[in-house]
């Protein structure tokens, strides 16, 4: 109740500022309203297969959206340069939270990924690590090119080493939870931002060659030296790898039921709130299956088109803004959103491995949604800051 009262107090006392901020970003607001709509109807339809003990998740999702809008406006009111300046602090705080998960929390479904807070729910630090990783990477890359007038092989190696260190610390901590999906997202963010940084592209040939060698050795032990692999990495990691590598076997009940639900929906679907068959994680990982089974091919094309237009909008924003540092940030945000969209929808269709990655803005989850609302707030902040600079000039 205390939290609800504070949210109401914020709305009541800042409604004018909020309307002003949102009014200047009509395109973003339109996409946000569409995401809220698709999220609500999808989670509502998934409720028929969710445990009653979870409560009405579609109302809880609206509550998280309300908090997310508060955070989005709050982020917009902070000078974007301060967010970059203190990004190291945000990063360290998230690292400490990840360490705390391994030391002080009890496993939930075999994973130490959440802090459970009575009366509020659970908080997943790995979701917020994505935000701090984007900001901190942007700060480091921009600072490097601003400082170095002549870029040499040695200097570029230093930059790659620093970014790798920034990446590997949360990756190891998150992997130990275990949460392989989030680790992949960290790598997507860092590699994407490094790629657009202007670094010599020969580095990527080198990096992917090294990765290929290690992958070959890793898979050799996995397939040919199973006992030794288990001794080194443990049974848990072996079964996690087995789940990813054998994703296309189609033997899992979750994937089979997902394919049946989508495949039987036809052009117009089974109808709203008519999901024909049960599958686990209907409100989170497999939320697209719920939507596609309800609204069929036509509804899915409309939905995916909206996601595509949102991504194109982010690309458009990155091209228009003046600041190179802000471009890095926007493209980092785009990379994580686009990857999660492709991975989530792809895994429900049996095209990609099931990695437990949610669909941004649509799947139920407080931490996931709040992290993306923070990213949306950063986008709005960058757009508004860029407009002020151009108006001043």
């Amino acid at each position: 109740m205390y939290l609800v009262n504070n949210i109401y107090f914020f709305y009541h006392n800042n409604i004018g500022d909020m309307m002003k901020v949102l009014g200047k970003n009509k395109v973003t607001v339109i996409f946000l309203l569409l995401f809220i709509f698709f999220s609500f109807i999808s989670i509502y339809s998934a409720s028929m297969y969710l445990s009653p003990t979870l409560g009405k998740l579609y109302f809880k999702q609206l509550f998280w959206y309300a908090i997310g809008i508060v955070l989005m406006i709050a982020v917009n009111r902070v000078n974007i340069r301060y967010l970059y300046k203190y990004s190291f602090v945000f990063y360290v705080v998230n690292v400490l939270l990840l360490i705390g998960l391994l030391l002080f929390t009890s496993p939930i479904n075999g994973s130490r990924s959440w802090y459970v807070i009575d009366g509020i729910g659970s908080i997943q630090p790995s979701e917020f690590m994505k935000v701090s990783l984007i900001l901190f990477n942007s700060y480091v890359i921009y600072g490097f090119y601003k400082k170095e007038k002549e870029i040499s092989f040695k200097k570029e190696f230093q930059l790659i080493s620093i970014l790798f260190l920034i990446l590997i610390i949360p990756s190891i901590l998150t992997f130990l939870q275990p949460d392989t999906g989030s680790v992949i997202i960290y790598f997507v963010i860092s590699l994407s931002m490094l790629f657009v940084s202007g670094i010599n592209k020969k580095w990527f040939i080198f990096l992917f060659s090294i990765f290929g060698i290690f992958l070959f050795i890793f898979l050799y032990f996995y397939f040919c030296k199973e006992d030794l692999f288990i001794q080194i990495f443990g049974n848990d990691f072996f079964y996690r790898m087995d789940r990813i590598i054998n994703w296309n076997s189609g033997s899992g009940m979750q994937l089979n039921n997902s394919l049946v639900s989508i495949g039987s929906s036809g052009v117009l679907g089974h109808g709203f709130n008519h999901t024909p068959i049960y599958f686990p994680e209907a409100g989170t990982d497999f939320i697209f299956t719920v939507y596609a089974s309800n609204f069929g091919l036509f509804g899915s094309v409309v939905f995916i088109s909206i996601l595509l237009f949102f991504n194109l909008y982010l690309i458009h924003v990155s091209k228009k803004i003046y600041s190179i540092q802000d471009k890095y940030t926007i493209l980092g945000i785009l990379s994580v959103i686009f990857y999660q969209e492709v991975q989530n929808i792809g895994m429900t269709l049996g095209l990609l491995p099931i990695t437990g990655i949610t669909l941004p803005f649509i799947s139920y989850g407080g931490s996931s949604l709040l992290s993306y609302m923070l990213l949306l707030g950063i986008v709005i902040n960058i757009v508004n800051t860029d407009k002020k600079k151009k108006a001043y000039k």
Side-chain angles (χ1 to χ4, degrees):
M1 184 59 68
Y2 176 77
L3 181 60
V4 174
N5 288 336
N6 275 276
I7 294 172
Y8 172 77
F9 179 81
F10 183 94
Y11 271 102
H12 181 73
N13 289 276
N14 296 276
I15 191 69
D17 292 339
M18 292 175 65
M19 291 297 101
K20 188 183 297 183
V21 170
L22 295 176
K24 292 180 180 179
N25 297 270
K26 293 183 177 63
V27 176
T28 306
V29 171
I30 290 172
F31 279 117
L32 180 57
L33 292 174
L34 287 171
F35 292 152
I36 293 174
F37 170 75
F38 284 118
S39 180
F40 181 84
I41 62 173
S42 299
I43 295 174
Y44 184 92
S45 297
S47 297
M48 62 187 300
Y49 290 126
L50 299 176
S51 172
T53 59
L54 297 175
K56 297 180 179 180
L57 293 188
Y58 43 92
F59 282 137
K60 290 183 179 180
Q61 184 78 338
L62 292 180
F63 173 74
W64 287 120
Y65 258 115
I67 298 177
I69 292 173
V70 172
L71 290 177
M72 186 177 70
I73 302 300
V75 167
N76 180 73
R77 297 178 67 174
V78 178
N79 189 312
I80 188 67
R81 303 306 150 199
Y82 284 113
L83 294 179
Y84 293 135
K85 182 179 179 180
Y86 295 105
S87 58
F88 175 71
V89 177
F90 305 148
Y91 172 83
V92 171
V93 169
N94 275 287
V95 168
L96 292 176
L97 288 173
L98 291 175
I99 294 173
L101 286 173
L102 300 175
L103 296 178
F104 305 116
T105 64
S106 301
I108 300 176
N109 296 326
S111 179
R112 298 175 184 269
S113 299
W114 301 272
Y115 288 103
V116 178
I117 303 174
D118 293 338
I120 296 178
S122 58
I123 303 297
Q124 188 173 3
S126 61
E127 294 290 344
F128 299 103
M129 176 54 75
K130 296 182 295 189
V131 181
S132 60
L133 196 59
I134 290 172
L135 290 173
F136 193 30
N137 280 347
S138 183
Y139 175 79
V140 170
I141 295 171
Y142 178 74
F144 171 80
Y145 283 105
K146 186 178 180 180
K147 178 182 177 182
E148 303 295 339
K149 302 302 180 184
E150 294 184 6
I151 307 300
S152 63
F153 176 87
K154 181 179 179 180
K155 294 296 183 182
E156 286 189 332
F157 180 75
Q158 289 176 354
L159 174 62
I160 293 173
S161 300
I162 292 171
L163 292 179
F164 179 76
L165 181 62
I166 294 171
L167 167 65
I168 202 65
I169 294 173
S171 295
I172 293 174
L173 294 173
T174 304
F175 183 80
L176 293 174
Q177 292 178 5
D179 183 358
T180 309
S182 292
V183 174
I184 296 174
I185 292 174
Y186 298 162
F187 273 82
V188 168
I189 290 171
S190 296
L191 288 175
S192 299
M193 296 185 73
L194 183 63
F195 184 81
V196 301
S197 69
I199 197 171
N200 193 318
K201 297 304 182 288
K202 291 181 180 179
W203 277 108
F204 285 90
I205 299 176
F206 173 75
L207 291 173
F208 282 114
S209 298
I210 296 297
F211 175 76
I213 293 172
F214 277 103
L215 181 63
F216 175 80
I217 296 172
F218 179 82
L219 292 178
Y220 170 77
F221 277 93
Y222 173 80
F223 287 109
C224 303
K225 303 289 183 179
E226 182 178 312
D227 293 338
L228 182 58
F229 185 95
I230 293 175
Q231 288 180 11
I232 296 173
F233 296 103
N235 277 302
D236 180 67
F237 183 63
F238 176 81
Y239 288 118
R240 286 160 64 189
M241 285 300 305
D242 186 65
R243 181 184 180 188
I244 293 174
I245 291 176
N246 296 315
W247 60 274
N248 60 348
S249 66
S251 59
M253 179 270 286
Q254 192 172 27
L255 178 58
N256 284 338
N257 289 7
S258 174
L259 293 175
V260 170
S261 295
I262 296 175
S264 63
S265 63
V267 176
L268 298 178
H270 296 285
F272 173 62
N273 202 26
H274 286 84
T275 306
I277 190 170
Y278 167 78
F279 43 85
E281 309 298 337
T284 51
D285 301 357
F286 279 74
I287 194 69
F288 179 76
T289 301
V290 176
Y291 175 84
S293 66
N294 282 195
F295 300 102
L297 177 63
F298 179 77
S300 298
V301 169
V302 171
F303 175 71
I304 293 174
S305 297
I306 291 171
L307 296 183
L308 177 62
F309 285 131
F310 178 66
N311 294 336
L312 292 175
Y313 168 68
L314 291 180
I315 294 174
H316 174 72
V317 169
S318 70
K319 289 182 176 180
K320 286 186 62 178
I321 57 179
Y322 176 79
S323 169
I324 297 297
Q325 188 173 23
D326 292 341
K327 288 181 184 289
Y328 295 151
T329 302
I330 294 291
L331 291 171
I333 293 172
L334 172 63
S335 69
V336 66
I337 290 176
F338 179 71
Y339 168 73
Q340 285 203 226
E341 290 169 348
V342 172
Q343 173 62 44
N344 180 272
I345 294 175
M347 74 181 189
T348 63
L349 298 173
L351 300 176
L352 292 171
I354 299 175
T355 54
I357 289 177
T358 56
L359 187 58
F361 298 105
I362 310 300
S363 296
Y364 175 78
S367 297
S368 175
L369 180 58
L370 293 182
S371 70
Y372 282 102
M373 293 299 283
L374 284 171
L375 293 177
L376 201 58
I378 292 172
V379 172
I380 292 175
N381 191 324
I382 290 173
V383 171
N384 289 343
T385 302
D386 189 68
K387 286 180 180 178
K388 290 177 183 177
K389 286 182 178 179
K390 291 176 179 177
Y392 179 76
K393 290 183 178 180

